[in-house]
Amino acid sequence: MEQSIENKLIKADKAFSEWKKIPFEHRQKLIAKAAEILKTRSEEFGAIITSEMNKPISQAIAEIEKCALMMNYYADAENILQPEKIESEYTYSEIHFIPKGVILGIMPWNFPFWQVLRFAIPAILAGNTVVLKHASICFGSGNAIEKVLLEAGFPEGVFQNLEIGHQDVKEVLEHQAISGVSLTGSEKAGAEVASIAGQNIKKSLLELGGSDAFIVLDDADFDEAAKVGALARLQNCGQTCVAAKRFIIDEKIEDVFLPKFIEEYKKYIPADPMDKETKIAGMARPDLADDLEKQFRKALENGAEIILPLERISDNEFKPGLIRVNEGNPILQEELFGPLGMVMTAGNDEEALQLANDIPFGLSNSVWTKDKARQLFFIENLESGTVNINRMTSSDPRFPFGGTKSSGYGTELSLLALKEFVTAKTVVGN
């Protein structure tokens, strides 16, 4: 391990010994200051995101503003980590929540600020310190976040960006200073990191891929579902774990809904990411565009039909594609991370549910129906961490975020996230 990285890990560990003693309310004040810095300089930080991974600048600025919103939520949050009294016959009868230590964050490029801060802020508020291994194209974002927190008054060592590659993760995670790891990324990366963490008896949290269903039933608001559906698939160029990827349509309304959906879909035309009017730009890297093209061809080779062709217009830009896919196509077992959507039809609600659940992933689904009983049927039976009714999937600081099955485990956001990287210590006796 490079001495500079070793020094940062030691620094994080030393910072933890002091940071864990800082009162919860004081930590909250620093988080509020950092949120204000982000909010007032959102265009500056948004430009870093766009320059690194091509997100349209309006969406990049919105990402920064959402980070500030989330941080203010935690800055005002109830302290659920105070010792909890348990009624018993003992004099001492309490649960104390003790921060674990230095937590390694392994974060992706698709939301360079949001993914990092969504994990880091509750971990830090709980009394931990954080070291970040960001995607290689987003070191600028990682460094900017570190500077913002220092400017807000966080002690040195509470948050540090490590400019390291994938090959360095194992050595860092095995380091004695590291107490846990949170990863947002692919199923493959998650399995590898969880294996290393498990072998070293360290806590892990995984937020992995998804292939979320967008289910449109015959009593839905077709115009709204079509408009929101296109955004749900193509926001951030479709490079979102909770993007709608499979559009499951009641066969009785296909002739009515699908033309509306196609019309909305066609409005997403790649343009300059620095233009505030741009709705979709290029993918983050050319090799990712190569991968999506391969998946498109694979789907067609296995019987998928083209509704709108996935048309490559530069090394990383596409005119968004839409394909009709039948049950059994192997592409359904993969995540499409880019501007390509899949359409399926269902004869009834039971078949729509079966199609929605028949994948390895379980992150978030969206159901469009006005009928309360039908809503309840899907709420109770969809296999996912989140169910959205008549809205697209999006994360909200107030609500838990996480998946099931191959989409990972553990909770981000909400007050529950404060307990992900703490130890519940029982204190009992006379």
Side-chain angles (χ1 to χ4, degrees), residues 12-13 32 87 92 96 135 140 143 195 200 204 233 244 246 263 276 295 323 363-364 369 373 392 421 427-428:
D13 197 30
E87 281 202 21
Y92 291 102
H96 294 208
N143 287 329
S195 175
N200 289 274
S204 61
R233 170 67 284 212
R246 298 173 299 133
E263 182 182 354
K276 288 189 176 181
Q295 289 179 298
I323 53 178
L363 197 51
S364 184
T369 174
M392 67 180 278
F421 290 103
V427 180
V428 62

Side-chain angles (χ1 to χ4, degrees), residues 49 52-53 55 63 105-119 132-139 141-142 145 166 182-186 189 207-209 236 239-241 284-285 288 335 337 412:
I49 292 174
E52 288 185 325
M53 52 75 61
K55 189 192 300 283
E63 178 180 335
I106 304 173
M107 296 294 138
W109 44 262
N110 58 338
F111 289 88
F113 274 66
W114 171 252
Q115 303 280 24
V116 173
L117 290 166
R118 184 177 73 182
F119 139 71
L132 169 67
K133 182 264 176 272
H134 215 324
S136 58
I137 62 172
C138 294
F139 286 163
S141 291
I145 292 168
H166 292 296
S182 178
L183 176 140
T184 297
S186 69
E207 198 273 276
L208 308 179
N236 201 29
Q239 300 167 122
T240 306
C241 56
R285 301 193 309 260
L288 299 169
E335 180 178 27
F337 217 65
E412 294 187 308

Side-chain angles (χ1 to χ4, degrees), residues 151-172:
E151 186 178 333
F154 282 85
E156 288 193 12
V158 170
F159 179 98
Q160 296 176 90
N161 182 46
L162 309 179
E163 294 192 7
I164 58 173
H166 292 296
Q167 70 279 2
D168 302 309
V169 166
K170 184 175 186 293
E171 193 174 9
V172 171

Side-chain angles (χ1 to χ4, degrees), residues 189-346:
E192 291 174 354
V193 166
S195 175
I196 299 167
Q199 289 167 16
N200 289 274
I201 322 298
K202 296 182 180 183
K203 170 71 183 286
S204 61
L205 184 155
L206 303 180
E207 198 273 276
L208 308 179
S211 188
D212 295 344
F214 192 97
I215 303 167
V216 185
L217 303 181
D218 57 353
D219 64 339
D221 181 333
F222 300 151
D223 291 334
E224 183 69 8
K227 182 179 180 180
V228 173
L231 175 64
R233 170 67 284 212
L234 297 174
Q235 186 180 37
N236 201 29
C237 201
Q239 300 167 122
T240 306
C241 56
V242 293
K245 298 182 174 100
R246 298 173 299 133
F247 294 87
I248 300 173
I249 304 167
D250 188 316
E251 62 185 18
K252 296 187 291 295
I253 62 163
E254 182 182 1
D255 291 344
V256 179
F257 175 75
L258 194 54
K260 294 178 181 288
F261 181 49
I262 291 170
E263 182 182 354
E264 293 293 339
Y265 211 84
K266 285 181 174 178
K267 293 178 181 178
Y268 288 78
I269 301 168
D272 178 6
M274 293 304 294
D275 185 336
K276 288 189 176 181
E277 299 301 314
T278 294
K279 296 167 71 174
I280 187 170
M283 294 183 67
R285 301 193 309 260
D287 63 299
L288 299 169
D290 293 341
D291 291 342
L292 187 67
E293 251 185 346
K294 290 173 186 174
Q295 289 179 298
F296 178 57
R297 290 195 294 270
K298 178 179 179 178
L300 298 181
E301 289 165 2
N302 285 278
E305 299 173 7
I306 295 175
I307 298 173
L308 292 173
L310 182 72
E311 186 180 341
R312 194 164 183 171
I313 56 177
S314 76
D315 63 348
N316 69 333
E317 292 174 297
F318 290 102
K319 286 185 179 178
L322 202 58
I323 53 178
R324 184 186 303 277
V325 178
N326 293 321
E327 194 174 5
N329 193 314
I331 202 65
L332 290 166
Q333 304 305 306
E334 301 178 13
E335 180 178 27
L336 296 180
F337 217 65
L340 177 62
M342 297 177 280
V343 171
M344 308 179 78
T345 56

Side-chain angles (χ1 to χ4, degrees), residues 65-74 77 114 118 122 394-401 411-417:
E65 292 171 345
K66 186 174 182 178
C67 290
L69 178 73
M70 175 271 296
M71 291 163 73
N72 281 322
Y73 166 80
Y74 283 108
W114 171 252
R118 184 177 73 182
S394 62
S395 51
D396 183 309
R398 298 170 295 177
F399 306 124
F401 182 86
T411 299
E412 294 187 308
L413 300 179
S414 80
L415 293 180
L416 292 178

